């Protein structure tokens, strides 16, 4: 008799749950993503994540709009002015995120972040997504600037993979003398140039000084010998012909074509670049930390949790929007790493995967013992300050201003 009663109760519970699910209202969420181009490393992993979400939550329909990164930043800022941001959207962390937080456009997620969710996330990644104790974004990847070296070219010309600044300069000279452009750079988009200047500045000035300047803390300054030496070192690379002659006019995509073709041996870029390497190139390329300059900051990295998913503060479906944002973040973290597009920001056992991108695995290993990770200057800074660091670095690239003038121009952000 007890078994019959238990069976009846179980059937009643199943019927009740089924009825509840059947009664769930279908909700439609608008989602904005930056991976519009087929060549974007995170496009395929995100498409897979969307498929997984739709299977897991059939009652939540997604309307996804795709943008190029810079186009979405401009569009997103415009939409924010009219409280029209989509329910869930990609955005950068740090100062760029703070702009929308300050204007009240992003929902704080603290009430949704259970202990279980927090335990599944890699520690320390919410620093640049948290303001006044409130979390406004969930990361899907951990970023890191790396020096990508084509070992085939290094071997061909008898050049050592550089570990110090002197070795880097020697490599640049050797490749240049052989008629090979040493380093790829698409300065026309500006931010790829910042990838170089930020990591060089970090090597000369260190995390503490760079972080203070980018976040404009009291006493911060660009008028130091370390900052000047860093920009002068970048100028040295320019003068030695490290970059293509038309680097200032090349877009990032244009600048990467000869690297993919195996014609350029070195490139400083984020970890996502490894996901764009063909299987053949993955066997030729190694990703190493940027060379040391003798200041003791050689195990510090530019990067960290620099981007993620947000929920708009005026969404009509905050619960469902959080579910989507959290699902996107955690599952793109997994799918992106498996595809070689990013370092995971969430904990996952990858031991069953035997064909992971070897270059991304190098980056994961190298950054696992990083002394610190710092957001890029144009991400940590906000508004006109972020524009200024891009413009002035570009002016150094084109020879419009000197390293000394760069320091003076950047100092104006503290006025």
């Amino acid at each position: 008799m007890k078994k019959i009663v238990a069976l009846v109760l179980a059937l009643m519970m199943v019927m009740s749950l089924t009825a509840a699910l059947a009664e769930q209202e279908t909700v439609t969420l608008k989602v904005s993503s930056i991976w519009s181009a087929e060549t974007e490393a995170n496009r395929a992993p995100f498409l897979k994540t969307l498929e997984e979400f739709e299977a897991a939550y059939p009652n939540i329909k997604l309307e996804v709009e795709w943008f190029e990164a810079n186009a979405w930043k401009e569009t997103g800022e415009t939409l924010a002015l009219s409280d029209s941001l989509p329910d869930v959207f990609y955005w950068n962390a740090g100062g760029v995120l703070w702009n929308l937080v300050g204007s009240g456009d992003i929902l704080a997620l603290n009430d949704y972040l259970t202990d279980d969710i927090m335990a599944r996330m890699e520690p320390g990644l919410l620093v640049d997504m948290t303001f006044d104790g409130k979390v406004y974004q969930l990361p899907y990847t951990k970023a890191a600037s790396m020096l990508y070296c084509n070992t085939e070219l290094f071997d061909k010309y008898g050049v050592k993979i550089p570990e110090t600044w002197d070795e880097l300069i020697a490599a640049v000279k050797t490749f240049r003398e052989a008629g090979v452009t040493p380093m790829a750079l698409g300065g026309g988009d500006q931010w790829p140039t910042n990838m170089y200047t930020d990591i060089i500045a970090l090597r000369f000035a260190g995390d503490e000084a760079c972080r203070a300047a980018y976040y404009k803390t009291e006493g911060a300054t660009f008028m130091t010998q370390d900052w000047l030496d860093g920009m002068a070192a970048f100028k040295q690379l320019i003068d030695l012909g490290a970059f293509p002659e038309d680097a200032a006019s090349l877009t990032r995509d244009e600048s990467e074509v000869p690297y993919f073709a195996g014609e350029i041996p070195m490139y400083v870029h984020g970890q996502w670049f490894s996901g764009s390497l063909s299987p053949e190139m993955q066997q030729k390329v190694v990703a190493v930390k940027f060379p040391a300059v003798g200041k003791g900051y050689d195990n510090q990295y530019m990067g960290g949790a620099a981007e993620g998913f947000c929920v708009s503060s005026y969404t009509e479906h905050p619960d469902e929007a959080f579910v989507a944002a959290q699902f996107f973040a955690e599952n793109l973290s997994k799918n992106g790493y498996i595809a070689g597009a990013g370092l995971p920001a969430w904990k996952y056992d990858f031991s069953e995967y035997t064909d992971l991108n070897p270059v991304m695995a190098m980056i994961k290993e190298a950054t696992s013992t990083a002394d610190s990770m710092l957001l890029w200057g144009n991400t940590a800074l906000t508004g006109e300050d972020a524009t200024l660091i891009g413009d002035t670095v570009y002016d150094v690239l084109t020879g419009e201003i000197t390293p000394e003038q760069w320091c003076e121009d950047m100092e104006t952000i503290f006025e």
Side-chain angles (χ1 to χ4, degrees):
M1 182 65 180
K2 289 182 179 180
K3 291 184 177 180
I4 294 175
V5 171
L7 179 60
V8 171
L9 288 174
L11 288 172
M12 290 177 64
M13 290 178 64
V14 171
M15 292 174 63
S16 176
L17 178 59
T18 301
L21 291 173
E23 293 175 0
Q24 279 187 333
E25 177 185 358
T26 298
V27 169
T28 299
L29 299 178
K30 292 184 177 181
V31 179
S32 288
S33 156
I34 65 166
W35 303 292
S36 59
E38 294 291 340
T39 55
E40 288 284 358
N42 268 304
R43 180 177 175 85
F46 190 50
L47 286 172
K48 179 175 175 58
T49 300
L50 293 176
E51 290 178 3
E52 293 172 345
F53 179 83
E54 290 169 351
Y57 297 95
N59 65 305
I60 303 178
K61 304 301 180 184
L62 304 177
E63 293 181 355
V64 182
E65 191 168 8
W66 305 83
F67 295 85
E68 184 275 330
N70 287 333
W72 167 236
K73 184 174 183 295
E74 294 177 3
T75 300
E77 290 173 347
T78 300
L79 292 174
L81 295 175
S82 58
D83 293 349
S84 302
L85 283 167
D87 301 282
V88 181
F89 57 96
Y90 164 97
W91 206 249
N92 287 119
V96 178
L97 175 64
W98 169 244
N99 280 343
L100 294 190
V101 171
S103 58
D105 291 286
I106 300 185
L107 182 71
L109 305 177
N110 297 58
D111 292 343
Y112 294 100
L113 294 175
T114 64
D115 291 342
D116 176 61
I117 291 175
M118 294 297 290
R120 298 203 304 271
M121 210 180 309
E122 292 288 346
L125 295 185
L126 295 179
V127 173
D128 294 298
M129 301 177 172
T130 304
F131 303 95
D132 296 327
K134 295 182 179 180
V135 179
Y136 291 92
Q137 189 175 42
L138 295 177
Y140 67 90
T141 187
K142 180 174 68 176
S145 288
M146 306 297 295
L147 175 64
Y148 292 89
C149 298
N150 185 324
T151 58
E152 190 172 71
L153 291 176
F154 274 83
D155 291 343
K156 179 178 180 179
Y157 294 100
V159 180
K160 179 182 181 297
I161 301 293
E163 297 180 41
T164 67
W165 183 260
D166 288 343
E167 290 176 351
L168 176 62
I169 295 303
V172 168
K173 290 179 178 179
T174 301
F175 284 123
R176 175 50 69 187
E177 289 169 0
V180 176
T181 299
M183 309 182 87
L185 173 60
D189 287 332
Q190 290 196 350
W191 65 267
T193 310
N194 287 102
M195 299 289 286
Y196 280 89
T197 56
D198 280 358
I199 190 62
I200 295 173
L202 184 66
R203 288 290 177 267
F204 279 90
D207 181 281
E208 184 177 350
C210 291
R211 188 179 298 272
Y214 294 156
Y215 287 95
K216 301 170 68 172
T217 58
E218 185 176 357
T221 179
F222 288 96
M223 301 297 291
T224 68
Q225 190 63 48
D226 289 335
W227 277 106
L228 178 58
D229 289 345
M231 193 53 65
F234 175 61
K235 182 65 164 56
Q236 182 182 15
L237 291 178
I238 298 170
D239 293 342
L240 288 174
F243 308 115
E245 292 183 2
D246 56 349
S249 62
L250 291 174
T251 65
R252 181 203 64 173
D253 289 342
E254 291 169 339
S255 73
E256 292 176 354
V257 171
Y259 189 92
F260 289 136
E263 299 169 2
I264 294 180
M266 292 182 285
Y267 188 29
V268 172
H269 212 65
Q271 85 295 335
W272 59 85
F273 179 70
S274 65
S276 300
L277 296 170
S278 67
E280 180 184 3
M281 284 294 287
Q282 289 174 20
Q283 302 307 312
K284 300 177 181 179
V285 172
V286 295
V288 298
K289 66 176 66 174
F290 193 82
V293 300
K295 295 280 190 175
Y297 306 127
D298 49 296
N299 200 36
Q300 297 178 353
Y301 288 82
M302 297 302 304
E307 52 196 335
F309 292 95
C310 302
V311 175
S312 68
S313 60
Y314 27 80
T315 177
E316 295 180 1
H317 309 288
D319 295 347
E320 292 84 355
F322 171 78
V323 167
Q326 189 276 322
F327 189 98
F328 295 165
E330 184 168 10
N331 288 274
L332 181 55
S333 178
K334 173 194 69 175
N335 294 330
Y337 182 67
I338 292 171
L343 300 173
W346 297 69
K347 299 172 184 176
Y348 193 80
D349 181 7
F350 295 101
S351 58
E352 65 181 278
Y353 298 94
T354 58
D355 58 347
L356 295 175
N357 184 324
V359 182
M360 184 62 73
M362 291 178 198
I363 301 173
K364 186 174 183 290
E365 177 66 22
T367 59
S368 66
T369 57
D371 291 339
S372 64
M373 304 195 81
L374 174 66
L375 284 186
W376 294 282
N378 62 348
T379 301
L381 291 168
T382 64
E384 294 180 355
D385 297 336
T387 300
L388 180 65
I389 196 171
D391 289 344
T392 53
V393 163
Y394 180 80
D395 289 342
V396 174
L397 177 64
T398 60
E400 292 295 317
I401 63 174
T402 65
E404 291 83 1
Q405 289 171 317
W406 182 87
C407 293
E408 293 170 1
D409 288 345
M410 286 306 301
E411 191 69 10
T412 62
I413 72 172
F414 303 119
E415 295 177 355

